[in-house]
Amino acid sequence: MERPGCPFDKPCVGIAACGECCLHEMTLHEGYVEGDVGQIPKQAVMGSAKVPEYGGFLTPSLEIFDKQGGHLAMVEKSGQCTCLFGGLTEMCCDQPFSVTNKGTGQSIANIIKEKPSSMTGMLTELMSDADTFTLEITDPSMSPDQKASLLGSLVMLDYMFFERDSDGVKCEGGNPSVNFCNFYFMGCIIPCKCEGGDNGDNGGGGDG
């Protein structure tokens, strides 16, 4: 899977999608391919996915394209408060995404980032990047390549919106933090969190 996009590391994935250079994209190829990202020949392309311009505003979104570049579908966060997701909300709530045909507006699939089903699963998600997704394809007319494009878009969706290292609880430099949820706006992912730690006062006295 080839993933060109904004030229920054993973921590800067959630930046404003206000220009072509900042619209993250992935291209799904059939079989093994070699080459620099963005320069791989397109003969074996099965499909692609891309963050829409302005990132879907208040709704995390991805556009899916077929191997000819035609607009296949739109993936959008669904449910209540689509602008809020991730963090500790992943522990108690499923995170649903609807997949609709761009031309007809009809539902063709559903993607769910599932909440943990056990205490072990909860601890694993809190302390790592492990996630569980369900992809349900509801349109029986979809071709194998189109289904593969949906599966590739799921991987990108996970990377873009849920692969923020230890998104719920973390401790860096001895300072713990708890992220209750993330607020989404035009591609920006803004953590809503509390942080703890010392204030830098080591209790040293002044000169006698």
Side-chain angles (χ1 to χ4, degrees):
M1 189 167 69
E2 177 188 12
R3 200 202 65 81
C6 203
F8 294 102
D9 293 332
K10 178 178 171 181
C12 293
V13 163
I15 65 173
C18 55
E20 187 65 27
C21 69
C22 291
L23 302 181
H24 286 266
E25 180 179 7
M26 75 89 189
T27 302
L28 186 67
H29 298 265
E30 181 179 2
Y32 179 75
V33 293
E34 290 184 329
D36 295 331
V37 173
Q39 305 299 321
I40 299 175
K42 304 298 184 182
Q43 292 91 333
V45 167
M46 302 177 69
S48 62
K50 187 176 184 178
V51 175
E53 191 170 8
Y54 304 117
F57 294 96
L58 289 169
T59 302
S61 306
L62 289 178
E63 294 176 301
I64 305 176
F65 301 89
D66 60 26
K67 59 184 177 182
Q68 287 83 27
H71 203 152
L72 174 63
M74 176 70 79
V75 180
E76 296 177 300
K77 180 80 167 56
S78 56
Q80 297 180 338
C81 298
T82 58
C83 60
L84 300 177
F85 64 95
L88 292 183
T89 66
E90 296 181 32
M91 300 299 104
C92 56
C93 303
D94 289 338
Q95 312 277 328
F97 290 79
S98 62
V99 186
T100 56
N101 182 292
K102 183 66 174 179
T104 65
Q106 294 181 335
S107 174
I108 60 175
N110 296 296
I111 296 173
I112 298 176
K113 196 269 181 201
E114 297 182 3
K115 64 182 179 182
S117 58
S118 66
M119 183 61 69
T120 300
M122 182 179 295
L123 291 174
T124 300
E125 283 209 22
L126 280 173
M127 302 302 176
S128 72
D129 287 339
D131 295 314
T132 301
F133 284 84
T134 296
L135 170 60
E136 177 190 14
I137 297 176
T138 57
D139 182 0
S141 67
M142 294 187 69
S143 69
D145 282 357
Q146 290 173 333
K147 293 177 181 179
S149 295
L150 281 182
L151 188 59
S153 71
L154 188 156
V155 175
M156 184 178 180
L157 182 146
D158 182 39
Y159 180 89
M160 295 293 300
F161 304 126
F162 298 103
E163 285 297 306
R164 299 172 63 82
D165 298 320
S166 301
D167 195 32
V169 178
K170 68 171 61 176
C171 186
E172 294 181 341
N175 298 323
S177 66
V178 177
N179 184 25
F180 298 102
C181 65
N182 297 316
F183 175 73
Y184 183 87
F185 179 66
M186 293 178 61
C188 295
I189 298 176
I190 306 166
C192 302
K193 62 182 180 180
C194 289
E195 296 182 338
D198 59 52
N199 59 11
D201 183 4
N202 294 322
D207 294 336

